[in-house]
Amino acid sequence: MKIKVLYLTKYSRNGASSRLRSYQYFPFLEENGISVTVSPFFDEEYLNNLYAGKSISKFKLVSFYIKRFFKLFSVFKYDTIVIEKELFPYFFSWFEFLLHKLNVKYFVDYDDAIFHNYDLSNSKMIRFLFGSKINNVMKYSSCVIAGNSYLAERAEKSGAIKIVLLPTVIDVDLYKTKKKHTSSKIIIGWIGSPSTFKYIKNCKNIFSKILQNKNVELHIVGSKENIGLGPNMKYLEWSEENEVNLISKFDIGIMPLENTPWELGKCSYKLIQYMGCGVPVVASAVGMNNEVVVEGINGFLVQTEEQWLERLTQLIEKEALRESMGKKGRIKVESEYSIQKKQAILLAILANES
């Protein structure tokens, strides 16, 4: 008899966090005796509008809450519930508490520091009302699945009864390693969303200097905001189908970050994608980046503008170094950040705890 699991994700498949933390595991789970039903909080239209910078009607937003509320009446049909982050954004943890009291077993999954939306909010009212919300969601759960050690530490402080560390991973069978450099340009690449493009804007001065070298291009995948760096900055459309092909054209992958508590919750997925394609990386020395990047082996960790310029220039000028680091990055991803290595962890949680 199959174990029945209800996944209450935040987004549909096109939402990166939901796709990577939930959807990509479904075929494997189904093959191994787990029957999966998925119910996202936000729909595809919401995601499309979000990425396009369009406003969402209040009526539409309310409808998401109503739909999730009525979905909760079906929870007794399942052996286990997996909640991505929280049941209701910017609402009390009453329903997670109710599930706990009704002995409905739920797991909760985190790939970023969503608790800082509340406890570090600029709004005193939000801090007052919801500052301890995610602590409660973790505490009431049967298991917290954490994408990195910072998130796991928060779960431990919250009093969670069980914590499992499960990094965000890629399917290495889908990530083909970069072929030998053939382009006349050296391509520095970044992939992300419009909301995370701010990290590139913060580095505008760095890239304005790097792009003075006419043999270098900066490729931006997933954002279209023009910051005036000229024709050697290319904006490319993201899709799930084309992202690996676009990344495999990079010669250097970058992940600049700010150094705030929010960034400590990030799971360095961009770096894992780059390295999965055999691309060397340069990244801010913040949070999990320090675990994924082995300094001088598969990439460089940097803090200052001078370091960014030095390390990028070094990789631009040395093809052999790019190739060596790229190969070592791929090996690390295969062993530590692939779904092939980690999917058994999720299966064990669901099968043994359900």
Side-chain angles (χ1 to χ4, degrees):
M1 184 176 178
K2 278 194 170 187
I3 296 168
K4 293 188 289 186
V5 177
L6 173 63
Y7 266 82
L8 296 172
T9 61
K10 185 172 183 179
Y11 300 116
S12 58
R13 185 179 176 88
N14 272 344
S17 59
S18 298
R19 180 175 68 257
L20 302 169
R21 302 295 296 181
S22 300
Y23 287 84
Q24 74 165 331
Y25 287 96
F26 293 166
F28 173 79
L29 296 177
E30 292 278 0
E31 290 170 4
N32 287 274
I34 306 287
S35 175
V36 174
T37 300
V38 60
S39 178
F41 186 84
F42 296 113
D43 63 15
E44 196 70 21
E45 181 186 0
Y46 172 87
L47 263 181
N48 291 336
N49 288 338
L50 180 68
Y51 291 151
K54 297 179 181 178
S55 61
I56 313 297
S57 73
K58 291 182 180 179
F59 174 81
K60 183 75 171 177
L61 287 173
V62 170
S63 74
F64 297 141
Y65 283 81
I66 294 172
K67 178 187 174 185
R68 173 61 59 89
F69 172 76
F70 281 105
K71 187 64 182 179
L72 292 179
F73 286 96
S74 71
V75 295
F76 295 101
K77 294 164 47 179
Y78 302 93
D79 298 298
T80 300
I81 315 299
V82 180
I83 299 169
E84 185 186 336
K85 299 180 174 69
E86 56 190 339
L87 283 173
F88 297 97
Y90 290 91
F91 192 76
F92 301 100
S93 56
W94 296 342
F95 290 96
E96 287 90 348
F97 175 71
L98 185 60
L99 291 179
H100 171 69
K101 285 299 182 183
L102 292 172
N103 292 317
V104 175
K105 188 174 296 184
Y106 78 84
F107 304 156
V108 64
D109 182 272
Y110 296 96
D111 67 340
D112 62 39
I114 187 176
F115 38 83
H116 290 324
N117 284 341
Y118 302 126
D119 61 14
L120 296 181
S121 171
N122 292 327
S123 166
K124 290 182 180 179
M125 183 63 72
I126 288 176
R127 292 199 304 272
F128 174 74
L129 292 175
F130 305 121
S132 61
K133 175 193 174 175
I134 300 301
N135 286 0
N136 292 331
V137 174
M138 291 176 166
K139 181 173 65 176
Y140 301 145
S141 73
S142 297
C143 178
V144 175
I145 305 169
N148 68 25
S149 57
Y150 183 74
L151 303 173
E153 288 168 8
R154 180 64 172 241
E156 184 177 7
K157 290 177 182 176
S158 77
I161 60 174
K162 183 173 182 178
I163 304 162
V164 173
L165 197 62
L166 182 64
T168 303
V169 297
I170 63 169
D171 182 345
V172 292
D173 290 341
L174 301 178
Y175 279 71
K176 305 306 178 186
T177 55
K178 181 177 178 63
K179 304 300 181 186
K180 199 163 182 69
H181 183 77
T182 56
S183 171
S184 60
K185 303 271 189 179
I186 301 296
I187 297 172
I188 300 171
W190 176 91
I191 187 169
S193 66
S195 64
T196 56
F197 185 66
K198 64 179 181 179
Y199 300 122
I200 294 294
K201 291 196 289 185
N202 290 346
C203 297
K204 180 178 177 179
N205 190 49
I206 294 168
F207 296 121
S208 68
K209 293 177 181 178
I210 288 292
L211 293 180
Q212 289 176 14
N213 182 340
K214 301 306 179 184
N215 292 320
V216 177
E217 286 185 353
L218 176 61
H219 285 196
I220 301 297
V221 179
S223 182
K224 299 178 181 178
E225 184 179 350
N226 191 330
I227 57 173
L229 288 180
N232 275 12
M233 187 170 184
K234 310 291 186 183
Y235 296 88
L236 305 170
E237 194 79 29
W238 175 90
S239 73
E240 184 179 354
E241 293 73 28
N242 75 356
E243 66 175 353
V244 173
N245 181 53
L246 293 173
I247 293 170
S248 67
K249 290 181 169 62
F250 296 173
D251 294 293
I252 304 164
I254 55 172
M255 188 174 177
L257 289 175
E258 297 171 353
N259 191 4
T260 76
W262 175 260
E263 279 71 31
L264 297 179
K266 289 189 171 295
C267 293
S268 301
Y269 180 65
K270 292 179 181 61
L271 297 182
I272 294 166
Q273 286 187 290
Y274 304 149
M275 290 160 56
C277 286
V279 175
V281 300
V282 182
S284 297
V286 174
M288 190 173 169
N289 287 4
N290 293 300
E291 300 173 29
V292 175
V293 179
V294 182
E295 174 66 19
I297 303 298
N298 56 22
F300 294 116
L301 293 163
V302 294
Q303 294 177 315
T304 65
E305 180 177 317
E306 290 73 20
Q307 289 172 343
W308 271 103
L309 291 169
E310 177 187 354
R311 294 311 194 184
L312 286 172
T313 300
Q314 191 174 351
L315 284 170
I316 289 167
E317 293 177 348
K318 297 181 179 180
E319 181 177 355
L321 181 62
R322 296 197 303 270
E323 186 175 343
S324 170
M325 285 187 163
K327 287 179 179 178
K328 289 170 183 173
R330 170 71 184 201
I331 291 169
K332 185 174 178 70
V333 167
E334 287 177 348
S335 63
E336 298 181 36
Y337 301 109
S338 70
I339 194 171
Q340 286 79 3
K341 292 289 187 180
K342 300 298 183 181
Q343 57 194 3
I345 295 174
L346 183 60
L347 178 62
I349 298 168
L350 297 176
N352 296 335
E353 299 293 330
S354 298

